[in-house]
Amino acid sequence: MNEKIQEAFNKQLNAETYSAYLYLSMSAYFEATSLRGFANWMRVQAQEELLHAMKFYTFLNERGGRVVLTAIESPPTEWQSPLDAFKNAYAHEQKVTAMINGLVDLAIEERDHAANAFLQWFVTEQVEEESSADAVIQQLKLAGEGGGLFMIDRELAARVFTMPTTPAQG
Ligand code: FEO
């Protein structure tokens, strides 16, 4: 496997695992503030991030690359408010989108068509990732504090994690 792609994909594997850590930390924050619906949404998000990480893990192995797991940075543990946490999530997803776009650029540069094809799933996924975080931000801005917040909490409690048939699928 192309060395540069291997290194960049291992970096992304780490970044996706960090994303899971970040959202699990947000989930713990919401648990601590008794917003169980928000906590549920973030927990599902964390599970999805682990699947993203596993996609890179599987692809690296399938291409005969070497997976190298590295230390995961500690995520923040506190936020000022639910809006603050979701703004953080949205900004984080924008960062991840830029990373994915960078990987696509690299795959094109290195003429690695398989890597490019693999990455297209993530290009589409990032549109959804940014949009779902932004949707909650907009709801929170409309609702303000109090009753509106608890209505959103009830709504976010409904999000469920669906396990794909194989870990490589999202
Ligand atoms: Fe794996 Fe939220 O991007």
Side-chain angles (χ1 to χ4, degrees):
M1 180 176 190
N2 177 305
E3 286 276 320
K4 279 191 198 164
I5 303 270
Q6 173 173 299
E7 198 186 317
F9 272 39
N10 270 305
K11 232 181 225 169
Q12 192 66 30
L13 202 172
N14 180 290
E16 299 290 346
T17 311
Y18 172 78
S19 298
Y21 238 41
L22 174 65
Y23 295 134
L24 201 56
S25 187
M26 287 181 180
S27 184
Y29 158 76
F30 284 124
E31 289 283 357
T33 50
S34 295
L35 288 166
R36 305 293 302 275
F38 282 89
N40 171 67
W41 195 96
M42 284 298 177
R43 179 201 279 250
V44 171
Q45 189 62 30
Q47 286 172 297
E48 288 199 355
E49 296 299 349
L50 286 178
L51 283 178
H52 295 174
M54 287 309 293
K55 276 178 175 282
F56 281 95
Y57 178 90
T58 305
F59 184 81
L60 276 159
N61 283 324
E62 277 178 356
R63 295 292 304 286
R66 177 69 167 96
V67 169
V68 180
L69 299 179
T70 50
I72 311 296
E73 191 191 324
S74 297
T77 54
E78 297 294 335
W79 289 268
Q80 299 300 315
S81 63
L83 182 59
D84 182 38
F86 270 87
K87 278 183 173 171
N88 185 173
Y90 181 63
H92 180 70
E93 288 304 330
Q94 286 182 309
K95 215 171 96 185
V96 174
T97 300
M99 292 176 84
I100 296 291
N101 289 341
L103 290 178
V104 173
D105 290 344
L106 180 67
I108 292 168
E109 236 172 75
E110 296 295 316
R111 305 171 86 82
D112 189 333
H113 302 296
N116 189 6
F118 166 82
L119 289 166
Q120 293 310 308
W121 183 90
F122 283 91
V123 171
T124 308
E125 175 71 3
Q126 280 312 120
V127 175
E128 198 191 307
E129 291 283 81
E130 285 189 28
S131 150
S132 59
D134 187 50
V136 180
I137 291 175
Q138 298 315 319
Q139 272 183 300
L140 282 167
K141 280 184 176 168
L142 280 173
E145 298 293 317
L149 187 65
F150 289 105
M151 266 174 60
I152 299 171
D153 191 59
R154 262 216 307 276
E155 214 177 288
L156 299 187
R159 185 179 187 189
V160 285
F161 174 69
T162 319
M163 188 65 183
T165 32
T166 73
Q169 293 171 356

